[in-house]
Amino acid sequence: MSAGRAGPRDPLQCPQSATHALVAWSGVSAMLLAVTVLNFVTPVRDIAYQGLIVMGAAALGIFLPDLLWQKVQRRALVSPGAGNWPRSLIKLIGLLGSLGFLALLYWLFPEYRLLGFYAHYWTALRVLLPLWALLALPYLYWVDRRLAQPHDALWQLGRVLTLQWRDARAAQIGQHLLGWLVKGFYLPLMFTYFCGDLDKLLHYDLKLLHGFSGYYDWAYFTLYFIDVALVSMTYLMSLKLTDTHIRSTEPTALGWLVALICYEPFWSLIGRQYLAYDRGPGWGVWLRGVPWLYGVWGCLIVLLVLIYVWSTVAFGARFSNLTHRGIITNGPYRYTKHPAYLAKNLSWWLIAVPFVPSGNSAQLVRCCTLLGLLNVVYYLRAKTEERHLALDPVYEQYTQWIERHGALRCLNRIPLLGSVARWR
């Protein structure tokens, strides 16, 4: 749960969240407004360009109040000092090296040569790369003048690339490249999903909105659309100007492993071959003969998905797997440390209903065990994230506050559940 403003020192008080709740919801409102406009006005035909418009609207909806009202630029930047063009040029070389690092990986790995799957991402880069080329140096110069410590990892990487090794810190440069690796992996994947969902939403057949099943399908899809739309924007907009930059990246192999196996292309192997818990019809078929229970069960699933998406919204423009971009303490994080993981994992149990007897007790045990193993993966994700974020004293203070005031603190009193409950 990463996204930091220092909070009060009293451990009994919850630290202030890095993103104000109204700012986060302003981004959602702007994003949904852009989608509504695209339903009636189509300035560009390509869905990738339409996706960039929606992402731009979400970014403006967050950054305008963040900069003008919350003054987030004052957290990472100080009063401007003397300009230093040579240092800015070195940073530009470091930025080009970072982009070159990703370009090398895209060229090297066959996954990214699947032009059909990532076609929308490559199309978007035709717009983004020229904009980056135009704005990079002025932005780097403007920010460099306002940094308390301008000799950052970008500068160090630029020095290394120009064969000036004296000031290089391998650990800092490694952290920098890991951050770019996170963006390089998740951005094309999320943007690809986002474009597919945006196209579906813009052409959604409203005739399907009849009966509980129709509204359930629409709500389930739309909530996940909001999630992937915001996430796509946050991976792209990592800026010191807006205090959404990466502070640190997950340093352990275990943390990377348990995060990456939950996403394609790794999930296709792990999910199908080792964690295929979904054994068939699911909750809809099981409960269709009991209308009132069918409705209650479906509403519970939607509620859990709503909590999951609320958890994403709470980050504003600071969401990112495997990185620390500030500490979020409001929204659902006011009640538990991992609301997204809890809600998502519980929803899978309600959707797949692997615990429903089907005449084969061995199959029942097998499916429940497999879904339990997937829950363990998310438990490990939670624990590695906590260990990473604990390097920030604000998160340590937040942890102490949650242990005293969190909604699930009572689980600590139950034997055997106490240690497990700490992932809440």
Side-chain angles (χ1 to χ4, degrees), residues 111 267 288 352 388:
E111 167 71 13
W267 180 249
R288 194 169 294 278
H388 173 206

Side-chain angles (χ1 to χ4, degrees), residues 3-141:
R5 185 187 294 186
R9 293 185 177 277
D10 182 358
L12 295 180
Q13 296 183 24
C14 187
Q16 188 172 0
S17 185
T19 299
H20 195 285
L22 292 179
V23 170
W25 286 106
S26 171
V28 176
S29 301
M31 181 264 291
L32 293 177
L33 177 61
V35 173
T36 302
V37 171
L38 286 176
N39 266 295
F40 300 98
V41 181
T42 309
V44 289
R45 292 291 177 185
D46 197 298
I47 195 64
Y49 299 147
Q50 294 179 22
L52 290 177
I53 291 173
V54 173
M55 288 167 59
L60 287 174
I62 290 174
F63 291 146
L64 286 180
D66 242 352
L67 293 169
L68 300 178
W69 174 39
Q70 292 293 296
K71 308 292 184 183
V72 295
Q73 66 274 21
R74 296 177 180 174
R75 302 178 191 174
L77 307 178
V78 297
S79 299
N84 191 319
W85 280 108
R87 188 168 63 213
S88 299
L89 288 170
I90 289 292
K91 290 187 176 184
L92 179 63
I93 294 172
L95 177 61
L96 292 174
S98 304
L99 290 169
F101 170 64
L102 293 186
L104 174 63
L105 296 179
Y106 289 157
W107 171 81
L108 179 64
F109 294 123
E111 167 71 13
Y112 297 99
R113 303 176 82 86
L114 300 174
L115 298 181
F117 183 76
Y118 292 107
H120 297 317
Y121 178 63
W122 307 130
T123 299
L125 287 183
R126 296 189 196 121
V127 174
L128 295 175
L129 289 177
L131 282 176
W132 278 336
L134 181 65
L135 300 175
L137 185 57
Y139 172 78
L140 290 171
Y141 178 77

